[in-house]
């Protein structure tokens, strides 16, 4: 077993009872509002389990909303190019990581790490910062490389032949190597774990410097993401209060809200560093594709990158407000696949084990949305995402060492678990955890440390059969 720093809170007064009560409370909400246990997301639930399971419209959308939804979906799938052409919209670059949203969020699902050590990162990105904070209390960008390493650019090689500007160098080439270790269950069975080591080659603008912090991130699945925006802040804070009573330390992130120009509760991203979907879309456009907008007008060209600053301008803004609004409605209007196998005895046993092992303290089984003006049908819906949207210290084994607003170097936002069992079918891969290191649910659980140490240990002590039931349950969510 890898060594994890043991939780500071080891004196837990009989943890099991309150956990079961919390889980039972959550179940009670579920039963009040929705008798059918397969309804993951109330009236947004669909019975579709193929590669389109995460990208279909909820049936409750009006025809007009459906039209905007479809427009948003096509912007999400759109290829950006360096000139106006039939196969792309002008706006890509000068530096970027991918040329469309869907290159990373495959079929609105998750990304995957490169297959070999000679292949560059594609659906993953590397965040960057230096010690200190920016003017809003967020990470401080690197003076020569900004807040993210861009491994592709309009260099006349990897993109449109028609590009007429001077070739712009990429910032660096990004590869992963893997370090293996072995973990053992209490019954003696062993599992090989792997941890990525980022390999940065051909840095074009000097060394990063010893105090530069990097954080590797896997593209997250987007299933049901509108529900996470529609949960009232009070609900999230009240979950944090309940967790404190159980000696857990879930905390909301407080981050800069570029749309409303104030600090807001962070909800999106692996460290909950983005408060709303509109900002997330515009930040992804500029950060990942070099597509500017009214919200982020500046291209990503730190002063030393002079060729970057000299490239031909696209149409400003490269992504217009109407398109961002359409992508926003598309994200909010996505249907969520129904739960599978709810009547299976093993899956039901797995659900009990999930509550007993305290998984449900952080991966909260049920929440209810509040009033949601942008898409009224999302209001007042009970849903089962299995997240609390809170940050937790998951220990040294998963730490990236890079703070992000209120998120510390070992903190991560509990990811939603719904749809996880369909990952392979939807996106062709099941790379779990923030950097895609876990190849299945077992590995993901074994990496839990910090506040989740007891939960991991409960799993390690289970029999092979019990572990199987727990995993079957997780994959049925
Ligand atoms: C280069 C790959 C890449 C591209 C291109 C990309 N994303 Fe992402 N996306 C990510 C990663 C990585 C994260 C997690 C970021 C983090 O933790 O900071 C993410 C997070 C998100 C989230 C938050 C998910 C959650 O559960 O909190 C949304 C929503 C999202 N992206 C939408 C988009 C949209 C819309 C586009 C196109 C405008 C896009 N992304 C383009 C990689 C990508
Ligand atoms: C203290 C809160 C907490 C507890 C308890 C907890 N988790 Fe997690 N879980 C997290 C966080 C935070 C992450 C994200 C960590 C990362 O990406 O580095 C996570 C990640 C996961 C993932 C990967 C999801 C994905 O999309 O990548 C799975 C699966 C998972 N947990 C299952 C479980 C199970 C099963 C248990 C009980 C044995 C459990 N968790 C207990 C907080 C918790």
């Amino acid at each position: 077993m890898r060594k994890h720093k043991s939780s500071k809170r080891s004196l837990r007064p009989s943890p099991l009872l309150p956990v079961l009560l919390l889980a039972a409370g959550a179940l009670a909400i579920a039963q009040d509002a929705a008798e059918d246990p397969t309804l993951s997301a109330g009236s947004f639930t669909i019975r579709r389990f193929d590669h389109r399971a995460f990208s279909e419209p909820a049936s409750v959308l009006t025809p007009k909303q459906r039209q905007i939804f479809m427009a948003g979906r096509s912007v999400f799938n759109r290829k950006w190019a360096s000139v106006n052409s039939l196969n792309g919209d002008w706006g890509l670059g000068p530096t970027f990581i991918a040329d469309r949203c869907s290159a990373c969020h495959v079929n609105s699902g998750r990304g995957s790490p490169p297959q070999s050590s000679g292949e560059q990162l594609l659906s993953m990105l590397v965040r960057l910062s230096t010690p200190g904070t920016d003017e809003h209390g967020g990470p401080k960008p690197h003076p020569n490389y900004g807040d993210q390493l861009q491994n592709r650019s309009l260099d006349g090689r990897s993109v449109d032949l028609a590009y007429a500007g001077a070739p712009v160098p990429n910032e660096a080439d990004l590869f992963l190597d893997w370090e293996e270790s072995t973990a053992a269950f209490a019954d003696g069975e062993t599992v090989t774990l792997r941890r990525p080591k980022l390999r940065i080659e051909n840095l074009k603008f000097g060394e990063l410097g010893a105090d530069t912090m990097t954080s590797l991130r896997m593209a997250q699945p987007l299933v049901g993401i509108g529900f996470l925006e529609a949960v009232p802040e009070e609900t999230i804070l009240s979950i944090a209060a309940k967790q404190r009573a159980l000696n857990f330390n879930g905390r909301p992130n407080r981050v800069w809200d570029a749309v409303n120009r104030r600090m807001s509760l962070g909800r999106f991203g692996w460290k909950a560093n983005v408060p709303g979907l509109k900002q997330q879309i515009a930040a992804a456009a500029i950060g990942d594709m070099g597509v500017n907008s009214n919200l982020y007008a500046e291209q990503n060209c730190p002063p030393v990158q002079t060729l970057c600053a000299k490239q031909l301008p696209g149409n400003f803004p490269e992504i217009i407000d109407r398109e961002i609004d359409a992508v926003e409605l598309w994200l909010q209007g996505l249907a969520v696949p129904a739960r599978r196998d709810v009547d299976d005895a093993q899956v039901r046993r797995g659900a009990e084990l999930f509550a007993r092992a305290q998984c449900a303290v952080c991966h909260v089984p049920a929440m209810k949305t509040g009033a949601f003006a942008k898409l009224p049908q999302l209001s007042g819906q009970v849903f089962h995402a299995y997240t609390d949207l809170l940050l937790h210290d998951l220990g040294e084994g998963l730490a990236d060492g890079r703070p992000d607003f209120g998120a510390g170097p070992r903190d991560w936002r509990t990811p939603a678990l719904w749809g996880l069992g369909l990952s392979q079918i939807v996106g062709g891969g099941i790379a779990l955890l923030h950097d895609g290191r876990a190849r299945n649910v077992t590995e993901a659980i074994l990496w839990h440390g910090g506040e989740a140490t007891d939960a991991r240990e409960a799993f390690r002590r289970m029999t092979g059969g019990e572990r199987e039931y727990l995993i079957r349950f997780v994959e049925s969510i």
Side-chain angles (χ1 to χ4, degrees), residues 262-284:
R262 57 176 160 84
M263 297 302 281
S264 294
L265 179 92
R267 293 172 190 258
F268 302 111
W270 289 101
K271 290 214 184 214
N273 69 333
V274 176
L277 288 174
K278 181 171 259 183
Q279 180 171 336
Q280 178 76 52
I281 298 160

Side-chain angles (χ1 to χ4, degrees), residues 161-183:
L161 296 172
Y163 176 61
V168 176
N170 71 348
E171 293 183 329
D173 298 334
L174 303 172
F175 304 95
L176 295 186
D177 298 313
W178 298 94
E179 234 172 49
E180 293 197 337
S181 60
T182 305

Side-chain angles (χ1 to χ4, degrees), residues 60 168 285 303 341 343 413:
V60 292
V168 176
D341 302 326
D343 294 327
R413 180 205 74 177

Side-chain angles (χ1 to χ4, degrees), residues 110 270 358-359 362-363 394 398 412 415 432-434 445 448:
R110 61 183 74 234
W270 289 101
Q358 303 184 327
C359 312
C362 304
H363 297 283
L394 273 228
L398 284 171
W412 300 101
L432 301 175
L433 299 173
H434 66 273
I445 301 171
H448 283 57

Side-chain angles (χ1 to χ4, degrees), residues 101 104-105 127 217-218 220 225 268-270 280 288 413:
C101 307
C104 295
H105 302 282
R127 295 225 185 283
R217 308 280 174 93
M218 168 66 56
Q220 293 165 305
I225 196 87
F268 302 111
W270 289 101
Q280 178 76 52
D288 304 343
R413 180 205 74 177

